[in-house]
Amino acid sequence: MDHQTGSNQTQTKLVIPAYVKAISGSLAGIVEAACLQPTDVIKTRLQLDGAGVYKGILHCGTTTVKTEGVRALWKGLTPFSTHLTLKYALRMGSNAVLQSAFKDSDTGKISVGGRFLSGFGAGAIEAVAIVTPFEVVKIRLQQQKGMSQEALKYKGPIHCARLIVREEGLKGLWSGAGPTIMRNGTNQAFMFTAKNTFDKVLWRKDEGDGKVLQAYQSMMSGFLAGIVGPVCTGPFDVVKTRLMAQSGEMKYKGMVHAFSSIYAEEGLRALWKGLIPRLMRIPPGQAIMWGVADQVIGFYETRYIQLNRNNDNDIPILGV
């Protein structure tokens, strides 16, 4: 009796290695930083504007250009681009590792809850390891006003980091770590879950199926996935920025004190200051990030996963 083991062979769903996702994230970070740095500068200045100097996004941008020149909109680009490159590499890689722990050992599938927790874990890891110290330096550089290099306290990212450590200790680079963990964890929990959902609903794409999305499809899914997080985490972002910007005399004693002080002094709406610039930056940023990352991951899928599937189909039929 012949047993056609080739036709009955159960195909194991191949997964994309964590290092491939890490590489895709790092390349995406470079492109995103170059495109969206001006919106991040404007967002930071609006969040630090307790006195109401700026009347809105356009006023902040035009005032910055008039008083400091166009280059001021790219202040902090070096730490921002480095920060995004490392952050996205760690985010994509750690999320892949965490998802593997939540996958069903038999089917290889992951539940919505598992995907959500993996995203939160990846966001928390990146917040502690990369985001907090880089954003402290970035925000200190961005809040400086003026065109004269001699008049600025911080001369550059390295000088800024050294001066913070000298004046505030190493812990100064992790100012605002608490709200940063909450912001990034929640953001990535929603983002990874939503991105996967939009890919399935809009394009019938599942990870590892060998189908490569067009760039515009990845960008649309990424854009939609990037909207929810900023709305939910706005207060954490404002508190994080205020805590990170402090040097010398500390107005805010911690995350809870910052929340209560901002609410008491500036009202509830102040906790969502900078939301519009965040929505101008994060959804387009996620669109750019996924547009690049999915192409890198898709290249791996078409070159390696599909090749392995073709080799499996070449397995000869065995007879006994």
Side-chain angles (χ1 to χ4, degrees):
M1 181 178 179
D2 291 341
H3 302 283
Q4 295 187 340
T5 58
S7 59
N8 295 332
Q9 186 180 29
T10 301
Q11 290 188 343
T12 303
K13 185 178 179 181
L14 299 176
V15 297
I16 299 164
Y19 76 86
V20 173
K21 292 190 175 182
I23 292 172
S24 73
S26 65
L27 294 175
I30 296 172
V31 178
E32 181 184 335
C35 294
L36 299 179
Q37 174 69 358
T39 61
D40 193 69
V41 171
I42 291 171
K43 181 216 75 167
T44 299
R45 296 220 171 166
L46 285 173
Q47 289 182 336
L48 296 174
D49 183 28
V53 174
Y54 302 118
K55 309 307 178 185
I57 299 168
L58 291 177
H59 183 253
C60 180
T62 54
T63 301
T64 301
V65 172
K66 287 179 181 177
T67 57
E68 304 171 54
V70 176
R71 290 181 62 184
L73 292 175
W74 276 268
K75 276 187 175 180
L77 177 60
T78 300
F80 185 52
S81 58
T82 306
H83 152 235
L84 276 188
T85 301
L86 295 176
K87 178 177 75 172
Y88 285 166
L90 181 60
R91 175 190 298 176
M92 298 289 282
S94 62
N95 182 71
V97 172
L98 291 171
Q99 281 193 3
S100 66
F102 286 101
K103 283 182 178 178
D104 185 281
S105 57
D106 296 325
T107 64
K109 295 182 178 179
I110 182 171
S111 66
V112 174
R115 194 177 298 278
F116 191 88
L117 290 174
S118 298
F120 188 92
I125 291 170
E126 72 180 19
V128 175
I130 294 174
V131 176
T132 302
F134 272 95
E135 289 211 357
V136 167
V137 172
K138 175 178 69 73
I139 286 171
R140 297 288 179 90
L141 289 172
Q142 287 179 347
Q143 73 176 339
Q144 297 186 122
K145 299 176 182 178
M147 299 180 67
S148 173
Q149 187 73 11
E150 292 74 20
L152 299 177
K153 178 179 180 180
Y154 305 114
K155 312 303 180 185
I158 296 177
H159 178 257
C160 179
R162 287 177 176 173
L163 201 56
I164 291 171
V165 173
R166 187 184 309 158
E167 294 179 349
E168 305 168 39
L170 192 61
K171 67 178 183 179
L173 289 173
W174 273 268
S175 297
T180 306
I181 290 171
M182 293 303 300
R183 183 200 66 170
N184 281 58
T186 306
N187 263 337
Q188 301 324 309
F190 280 111
M191 190 274 293
F192 278 108
T193 304
K195 172 62 167 59
N196 180 262
T197 301
F198 285 125
D199 281 349
K200 286 183 176 180
V201 172
L202 295 177
W203 321 118
R204 297 182 180 178
K205 160 68 180 171
D206 199 8
E207 183 178 298
D209 62 3
K211 178 180 179 181
V212 181
L213 295 179
Q214 296 295 317
Y216 80 89
Q217 294 174 317
S218 297
M219 293 179 74
M220 188 177 293
S221 293
F223 185 92
L224 294 172
I227 292 175
V228 179
V231 176
C232 296
T233 63
F236 289 116
D237 193 57
V238 171
V239 169
K240 170 208 69 101
T241 301
R242 297 285 181 96
L243 290 173
M244 288 180 172
Q246 294 186 126
S247 62
E249 185 178 351
M250 302 293 180
K251 177 180 179 179
Y252 305 113
K253 310 305 179 185
M255 180 170 64
V256 176
H257 181 250
F259 269 116
S260 59
S261 296
I262 294 170
Y263 174 73
E265 295 171 5
E266 303 173 48
L268 183 64
R269 290 180 61 183
L271 289 171
W272 275 269
K273 271 189 173 181
L275 176 61
I276 300 302
R278 284 190 79 202
L279 289 174
M280 290 174 63
R281 181 180 66 83
I282 293 178
Q286 289 303 299
I288 294 170
M289 194 279 283
W290 285 108
V292 175
D294 276 355
Q295 293 304 305
V296 176
I297 294 172
F299 175 79
Y300 178 87
E301 287 193 60
T302 54
R303 288 291 300 272
Y304 294 96
I305 292 183
Q306 198 61 45
L307 177 63
N308 287 337
R309 285 177 176 170
N310 290 340
N311 289 339
D312 288 342
N313 291 335
D314 290 338
I315 296 175
I317 297 174
L318 303 178
V320 177

